[in-house]
């Protein structure tokens, strides 16, 4: 009887231990630990704009981000981003780092033949301390090739520091459509609730 | 004592028996669960199969999330698992592709992306989307809430007859019917060839360069069909027109006799001659612009002998240039571990450099190097004699070298692991991240590098593009992967799309093989391609030649690609590493730029 039981245990045990599902599930369930637990802002997308959000990526990067794509424009999309960069996020050391890297070109210049960055202004946004700046940059449309085709992109940034990270509200548009959709962005910024 | 020992033995035996009995019961229960799972599996599989047959993307997602079922299926019916996973991955990939905010002028990129996916012998064709491109439209209407704008963009991207031939109403019905039998790839090839013929005629015959003519060329709708190589020539033509016009505007009318009636290439040569005779008082930047835009004269090309010498010298200079940087050290470590570095200088057509897996060479574009020499007024002979000039050229090409070396490392990784690795967007995300990281670090810590690129960006698109790539990475490393996918390499398949195509082709072939006679099967197993040869095949080569590959290798590829984690771990690891390293580098104190650029 004992031998029979032992045989059953070993056979059954081996069969189950080899189940690839168990190993795969354990690996998948390994704690990421970096997921942002709750949405830190609520915004109202402009009518007709397409909203995308990559929740899987948010968990890995500690960056909550909404992308809103507006009507098609000359050579580049019109986009609005609303993002919260949590402490320890994978991209920036803090709001100062974000501002430093987005308010100058890679050479540290604020003016070049193809780029223009405004000074960073301190402002108040919905009663919170915030920073505002804008830029105008020539972007290549096919940078993987020798193509010189380009478009001038204008961007507006609002950066709002928070205790455990910072918020960024960002408007991205080809220069030709910038003014047209700027009121939409301003309305969007005014209505965003940052928590 | 004896009775105590006896009692203990009895208790132990009883406990052991009870324990074993409990364990056995647990095992039986587990078997019961598994048997029940087996029953459930069949029902679930039938439901998935039915939904996948109707190409339902949400069912595809649910199926791929059912890892437990897929794992069991991989063991019990690997071919079926591969077929279903291929179809599901292809559907999810198509849905993700169309969900991206494609802008109107990205029509060529969207067209190339769809052409890769919707063709003969693809998993999407098996799901009923293709090879006739028009089948995509009812699928979009059924399963996606796509805007009118996006649907119209897709119609243009698949080259719908009514869109391409706006006068299609008067065309004979058989013309439209024949068009609708072709794939997106065939339509694109046809349209690209026609567009290139028009462009070639303009380049060879048209003497006009004025602003109105430039606008006319820009507005010509036909040129949107040019393939990447044709597009490169078109862009260069536009640059030449602008440069020629700017230079001619500064010259007295008398000097333009004999120039203005020539086609563009001749005009560029003749204008270049005027500068070389040094009696034209134009700005230096004008000359540099003209030199950057024109083709090399016979004396400015790199001779065969000099090419060999320069390639050899760069082979030594490049690793020295990139070392002591985070990305560069990764590359140097690879070559110091015994990998062969083989540099060649050849025409790369519409690229600045490429790694050639078949020969193991990194090819640097000869036009890019000749442009650098022209702009800096250096001959190849002078370059070869001057260590400082050679070091400057090594600096100039080093970002592309890091990029291409990382492709070589990717191939080496796959070879070493004995894995088939298709060339996908994920490879480019890795290579572009490394290149951007390298450039950012060099700009920060190497004054000569910084001044070289700051000076060259005005005359060279190559230099400006390297700076812009690094800037994009620096501005938002978290968004960089998506930028590479969406903006730079939309025409490349993602890993999911590529693996779906391969799994589909392999599982179909394994199915076909079971219907073959013993003699035919023996023939394949005897003369079929070896694993070494198979691992070198490109994606289209592999999917097109599955019939000639030995069964065991087909099964190996199937098994490898079903286990996505092997590839995903590598890709995610490198991308995360580059972002972290950028932050580390930024933590260090930057060098101060010199006041006057070195050029």
């Amino acid at each position: 009887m004992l031998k029979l039981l032992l045989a059953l245990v070993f056979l059954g045990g081996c069969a189950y231990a080899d189940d690839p599902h168990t190993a795969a599930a354990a690996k998948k369930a390994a704690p990421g630990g970096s997921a942002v637990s709750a949405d830190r802002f609520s915004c109202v997308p402009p009518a007709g704009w397409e909203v995308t959000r990559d929740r899987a990526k948010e968990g890995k990067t500690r960056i909550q981000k909404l992308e809103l794509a507006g009507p098609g424009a000359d050579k580049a999309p019109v986009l609005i981003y609303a993002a919260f960069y949590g402490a320890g996020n994978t991209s920036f050391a803090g709001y100062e780092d974000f501002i430093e890297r987005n308010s100058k070109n890679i050479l540290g210049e604020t003016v070049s033949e193809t780029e223009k960055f405004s000074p960073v202004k301190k402002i108040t946004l919905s009663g919170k301390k915030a920073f505002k700046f804008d830029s105008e940059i020539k972007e290549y449309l096919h940078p993987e090739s020798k193509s010189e085709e380009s478009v001038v992109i204008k961007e507006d940034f609002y950066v709002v520091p928070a205790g455990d990270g910072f918020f960024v509200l960002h408007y991205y548009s080809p220069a030709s459509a910038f003014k047209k959709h700027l009121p939409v962005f301003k309305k969007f910024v005014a209505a965003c609730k940052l928590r | 004592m004896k009775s105590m020992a006896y009692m203990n033995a009895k208790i132990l035996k009883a406990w052991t028996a009870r324990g074993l009995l409990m364990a056995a019961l647990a095992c039986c229960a587990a078997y019961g669960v598994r048997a029940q799972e087996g029953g459930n599996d069949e029902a679930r599989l039938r439901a998935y199969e039915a939904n996948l047959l109707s190409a339902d993307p949400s069912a595809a997602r649910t199926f791929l999330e059912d890892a437990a079922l897929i794992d069991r299926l991989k063991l019990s019916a690997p071919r079926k698992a591969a077929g279903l996973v291929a179809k599901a991955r292809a559907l999810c990939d198509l849905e993700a592709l169309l969900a991206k905010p494609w802008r109107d002028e990205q029509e060529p990129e969207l067209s190339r992306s769809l052409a890769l996916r919707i063709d003969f012998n693809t998993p999407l064709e098996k799901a009923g989307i293709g090879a006739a491109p028009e089948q995509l439209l009812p699928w979009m209407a059924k399963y996606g809430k796509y805007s009118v704008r996006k649907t119209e963009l897709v119609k243009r991207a698949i080259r719908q007859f009514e869109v391409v031939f706006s006068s299609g109403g008067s065309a004979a019905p058989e013309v439209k019917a024949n068009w609708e039998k072709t794939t997106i790839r065939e339509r694109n090839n046809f349209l690209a060839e026609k567009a290139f013929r028009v462009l070639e005629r303009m380049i060879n015959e048209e003497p006009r360069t004025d602003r109105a003519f430039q606008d006319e060329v820009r507005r010509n709708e036909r040129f949107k069909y040019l393939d990447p190589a044709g597009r490169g020539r078109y862009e260069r033509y536009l640059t030449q027109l602008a440069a020629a016009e700017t230079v001619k505007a500064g010259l007295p009318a008398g000097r333009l006799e004999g120039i203005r009636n020539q086609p563009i290439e001749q005009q560029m040569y003749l204008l270049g001659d005027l500068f070389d005779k040094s009696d034209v008082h134009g700005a230096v930047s004008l000359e540099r612009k003209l030199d950057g835009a024109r083709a090399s004269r016979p004396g400015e090309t790199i001779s065969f002998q000099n090419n060999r010498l320069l390639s050899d010298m760069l082979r030594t200079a490049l690793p020295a240039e990139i070392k002591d940087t985070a990305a560069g050290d990764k590359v140097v470590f690879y070559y110091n571990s015994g990998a062969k570095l083989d540099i060649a200088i050849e025409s790369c057509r519409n690229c600045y450099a490429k790694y050639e897996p078949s020969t193991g060479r990194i090819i640097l574009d000869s036009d890019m190097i000749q442009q650098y020499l022209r702009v800096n007024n250096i001959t190849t002979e002078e370059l070869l004699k001057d260590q400082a000039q050679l070091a400057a050229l090594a600096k100039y090409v080093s970002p592309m070298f890091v990029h291409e070396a990382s492709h070589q490392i990717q191939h080496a990784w796959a070879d070493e692991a004995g894995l088939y690795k298709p060339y996908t967007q994920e490879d480019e995300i890795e290579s572009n991240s490394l290149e951007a990281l390298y450039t950012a670090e060099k700009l920060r810590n190497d004054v000569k590098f910084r001044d070289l690129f700051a000076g060259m960006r005005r005359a060279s698109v190559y230099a400006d593009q390297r700076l812009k790539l690094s800037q994009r990475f620096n501005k938002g490393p978290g968004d960089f992967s998506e930028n590479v996918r969406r903006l730079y390499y939309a025409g490349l398949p993602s890993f999911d799309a590529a693996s779906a195509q391969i799994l589909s082709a392999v599982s179909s072939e394994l199915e076909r093989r079971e219907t073959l006679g013993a003699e035919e099967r023996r023939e394949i197993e005897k003369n079929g391609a070896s694993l070494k040869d198979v691992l070198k095949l490109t994606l289209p080569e592999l999917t097109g030649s599955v019939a000639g590959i030995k069964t065991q290798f087909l099964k190996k590829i199937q098994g490898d690609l079903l286990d996505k984690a092997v590839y995903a771990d590598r890709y995610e690891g490198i991308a995360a590493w580059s972002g972290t390293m950028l932050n580390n580098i930024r933590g260090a104190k930057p060098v101060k730029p010199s006041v006057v650029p070195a050029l």
Side-chain angles (χ1 to χ4, degrees):
Chain A
M1 176 67 181
L2 254 174
K3 276 181 186 167
L4 178 66
L5 285 171
L6 274 170
L8 270 172
V9 168
F10 283 124
L11 283 172
C14 289
Y16 214 66
D18 278 348
D19 186 340
H21 163 54
T22 316
K27 195 170 180 188
K28 245 186 174 175
S34 57
V36 182
S37 58
D39 290 352
R40 294 295 305 267
F41 53 83
S42 56
C43 302
V44 184
W49 288 51
E50 285 177 30
V51 185
T52 47
R53 183 174 178 186
D54 187 344
R55 286 174 191 272
K57 190 176 166 190
E58 286 181 3
K60 290 176 193 163
T61 59
R62 293 193 189 181
I63 303 167
Q64 285 183 18
K65 196 166 198 175
L66 284 181
E67 180 183 286
L68 296 94
D74 173 38
K75 292 185 173 182
V78 180
L79 300 165
I80 292 174
Y81 297 99
F84 175 71
Y85 293 79
N89 74 79
T90 52
S91 290
F92 299 100
Y95 74 89
E96 300 95 334
D97 188 30
F98 179 92
I99 292 172
E100 171 71 17
R101 282 154 76 169
N102 281 275
S103 61
K104 291 170 186 166
N105 73 9
I106 189 72
L107 295 166
E109 303 162 333
T110 52
V111 181
S112 78
E113 258 186 30
T114 59
E115 295 144 318
K116 210 160 58 186
F117 296 83
S118 77
V120 180
K121 286 182 209 154
K122 282 185 186 172
I123 58 158
T124 306
L125 188 70
S126 308
K128 291 182 166 73
K129 175 183 127 180
F131 299 90
K132 184 188 179 304
F133 57 95
D134 54 73
S135 64
E136 202 171 321
I137 300 171
K138 179 177 127 178
E139 293 264 22
Y140 289 99
L141 291 178
H142 310 281
E144 82 291 0
S145 72
K146 290 181 174 175
S147 167
E148 293 179 33
E149 203 179 352
S150 61
V151 61
V152 176
I153 297 293
K154 285 190 81 169
E155 293 173 276
D156 258 12
F157 293 90
Y158 290 90
V159 180
V160 186
D164 55 348
F166 61 98
F167 298 92
V168 176
L169 301 172
H170 174 192
Y171 174 45
Y172 174 105
S173 167
S176 58
F178 184 82
K179 273 189 185 166
K180 187 179 169 190
H181 302 290
L182 187 60
V184 177
F185 176 61
K186 286 191 169 166
K187 195 175 161 193
F188 174 85
V189 171
C192 264
K193 289 193 176 78
L194 313 178
R195 290 188 280 272
Chain B
M1 277 299 282
K2 190 181 173 186
S3 65
M4 194 68 159
Y6 177 74
M7 282 290 285
N8 281 346
K10 286 275 276 187
I11 290 168
L12 187 65
K13 196 171 178 183
W15 272 95
T16 310
R18 187 179 296 174
L20 288 172
L21 185 61
M22 291 300 285
L25 287 173
C27 269
C28 290
Y31 273 127
V33 169
R34 298 192 81 196
Q36 199 181 339
E37 276 176 350
N40 286 343
D41 281 359
E42 279 176 28
R44 265 153 65 205
L45 254 183
R46 271 198 301 277
Y48 285 135
E49 278 180 289
N51 287 329
L52 287 175
L53 205 62
S54 63
D56 181 350
S58 59
R61 233 180 353 265
T62 315
F63 172 68
L64 289 176
E65 282 163 7
D66 198 343
L69 176 74
I70 294 173
D71 284 342
R72 284 195 291 276
L73 196 60
K74 273 193 233 170
L75 288 180
S76 60
R79 205 174 60 222
K80 189 172 204 168
L84 290 175
V85 167
K87 211 180 273 181
R89 274 189 199 167
L91 286 169
C92 290
D93 171 74
L94 179 67
E95 191 187 39
L97 181 82
L98 292 176
K100 289 176 183 174
W102 291 94
R103 50 187 204 261
D104 287 350
E105 72 298 331
Q106 278 185 305
E107 179 191 317
E109 285 84 0
L110 179 59
S111 186
R112 283 203 296 278
S113 299
L114 290 170
L116 284 167
R117 290 157 171 89
I118 301 172
D119 206 326
F120 292 109
N121 303 318
T122 60
L124 287 179
E125 188 201 10
K126 288 175 190 162
I129 308 169
E134 278 70 22
Q135 290 173 358
L136 175 62
L137 300 171
W139 180 84
M140 286 176 69
K142 187 175 177 185
Y143 291 116
K145 289 176 186 164
Y146 298 104
S147 62
V148 174
R149 189 193 69 81
K150 190 166 273 179
T151 307
E152 290 305 312
L153 178 63
V154 169
K155 283 182 187 171
R156 294 199 297 277
I158 63 170
R159 313 308 188 197
Q160 197 187 39
F161 185 82
E162 289 78 3
V163 177
V164 174
F165 307 98
S166 43
S167 59
S170 59
E174 61 267 26
V175 176
K176 182 171 183 287
N178 283 336
W179 182 258
E180 287 177 350
K181 281 180 198 156
T182 57
T183 63
I184 307 173
R185 175 178 45 83
E186 290 164 337
R187 293 175 190 185
N188 279 341
N189 288 344
F190 171 80
L191 293 168
E193 200 183 318
K194 290 200 84 153
F196 193 71
R197 263 188 246 146
V198 175
L199 177 66
E200 232 178 359
R201 202 164 51 240
M202 275 185 179
I203 292 169
N204 294 332
E205 295 170 16
E206 183 56 69
R208 283 182 294 164
T209 59
D210 56 83
R211 189 59 63 90
F213 178 67
Q214 290 174 37
D215 289 343
E216 192 183 313
V217 176
R218 277 198 187 88
R219 279 198 307 269
N220 193 326
E221 277 283 297
R222 209 186 286 257
F223 293 142
K224 76 177 178 186
Y225 296 124
L226 287 166
D227 61 17
R231 187 91 201 159
R233 185 63 192 95
Y234 166 77
E235 289 299 334
R236 199 168 141 244
Y237 181 45
L238 282 173
T239 306
Q240 289 178 321
L241 291 176
E245 192 57 20
T246 311
V247 172
K248 284 195 289 186
L251 294 174
R255 304 297 300 268
L256 296 176
E257 286 304 319
I259 295 178
R260 60 159 67 107
N261 294 327
Q262 299 293 328
I264 189 67
E265 289 288 0
Q266 275 73 16
Q267 288 196 34
M268 298 297 285
Y269 283 134
L270 295 168
L271 290 168
D273 273 348
L274 287 182
F275 275 110
D276 290 348
K277 284 171 191 158
S278 301
D279 59 348
V280 174
H281 301 291
V284 174
S285 65
L286 259 189
E287 184 182 358
R288 295 186 89 183
K289 271 203 168 101
L290 189 75
D291 283 339
R294 69 177 170 81
S296 292
R297 299 185 191 111
E300 292 171 334
T301 54
I302 306 170
S303 69
F304 175 75
Q305 197 62 30
N306 284 343
N307 186 318
R308 295 276 300 271
L309 279 170
L310 185 55
S311 304
D312 275 349
M313 291 166 99
L314 282 174
R315 196 166 58 218
T316 312
L318 281 168
E321 176 58 34
I322 65 170
K323 74 177 171 57
D324 298 330
T325 62
D329 282 346
K330 228 177 165 54
V331 172
V332 171
F333 176 79
Y334 167 69
Y335 290 119
N336 285 347
S337 307
K340 191 181 172 196
L341 170 58
D342 195 352
I343 300 275
I345 299 168
E346 288 176 10
S347 173
C348 194
R349 296 193 73 194
N350 196 30
C351 64
Y352 294 114
K354 65 180 175 191
Y355 171 65
E356 205 174 59
S358 56
T359 60
R361 299 183 308 166
I362 289 177
I363 294 171
L364 301 172
D365 183 43
S366 49
D367 285 344
M368 169 185 65
I369 293 177
Q370 284 169 19
Q371 185 202 40
Y372 174 87
L373 299 179
R374 285 198 308 273
V375 169
N376 290 288
N377 289 320
I378 317 164
T379 63
T380 321
E381 285 74 19
E382 286 164 350
L383 179 76
L384 292 169
K385 283 179 204 156
D386 187 336
Q387 280 300 317
Q389 291 286 9
L390 183 77
L393 176 65
K395 272 189 201 306
Y396 186 65
V397 299
S398 62
M400 282 315 291
F401 170 60
V402 169
H403 183 122
E404 298 309 327
S406 85
H407 283 313
Q408 187 174 352
I409 295 171
Q410 288 157 1
H411 281 273
W413 169 79
D415 287 347
E416 205 170 298
L419 289 172
Y420 178 75
K421 188 191 70 57
Y423 171 49
T424 63
Q425 288 177 333
E426 283 77 359
D427 293 311
E428 287 299 347
I429 290 169
E430 179 185 335
S431 299
N432 278 277
S433 306
L434 278 183
E435 182 201 324
L437 173 67
Y438 169 78
T439 308
E441 188 171 357
K442 288 291 272 187
L443 288 172
R444 206 171 162 81
N445 298 329
D446 181 342
V447 178
K448 284 183 181 169
F449 181 95
R450 179 194 177 86
D451 291 346
L452 174 71
F453 274 86
M456 282 297 289
R457 69 183 149 165
R458 293 180 190 95
S460 151
V461 175
Y462 163 82
D464 205 25
Q465 283 183 349
R466 307 283 67 76
L467 293 175
K468 290 279 176 15
L469 180 87
S470 188
Q471 183 161 315
R472 193 179 274 279
F473 183 59
N474 186 53
K475 277 179 77 173
D479 300 326
F480 191 71
S481 301
E482 194 50 36
N483 285 324
V484 171
R485 279 187 207 281
R486 199 189 292 173
L487 300 177
Y488 302 179
Y489 294 93
L492 256 189
S494 61
F495 178 78
D496 276 353
S499 63
Q501 285 188 22
I502 297 165
L503 284 172
S504 173
V506 167
S507 58
S508 294
E509 172 57 19
L510 288 172
E511 207 171 308
R512 186 191 75 90
R513 214 160 272 191
E514 283 193 355
T515 65
L516 298 179
E519 184 53 36
E520 272 181 288
R521 280 206 278 199
R522 254 197 309 279
E523 183 65 21
I524 296 171
E525 300 314 327
K526 189 179 165 200
N527 298 320
S530 69
L531 184 62
K532 197 178 163 195
D533 291 334
V534 172
L535 295 182
K536 285 182 183 160
L537 297 176
T538 61
L539 172 63
E541 285 168 352
L542 176 63
T543 52
S545 61
V546 282
I549 298 172
K550 289 179 182 173
T551 306
Q552 58 168 322
F553 302 141
L554 288 179
K555 285 183 176 169
K556 179 187 161 23
I557 290 168
Q558 188 182 62
D560 290 345
L561 289 173
L562 272 172
D563 190 7
K564 191 179 160 184
V566 178
Y567 300 87
D569 286 353
R570 177 190 157 81
Y571 291 132
E572 285 175 12
I574 299 277
W577 179 84
S578 297
T580 308
M581 290 315 294
L582 180 68
N583 287 337
N584 290 349
I585 290 159
R586 289 191 56 80
K589 200 177 166 194
V591 291
K592 282 190 179 170
S594 62
V595 180
V596 184
L599 285 167

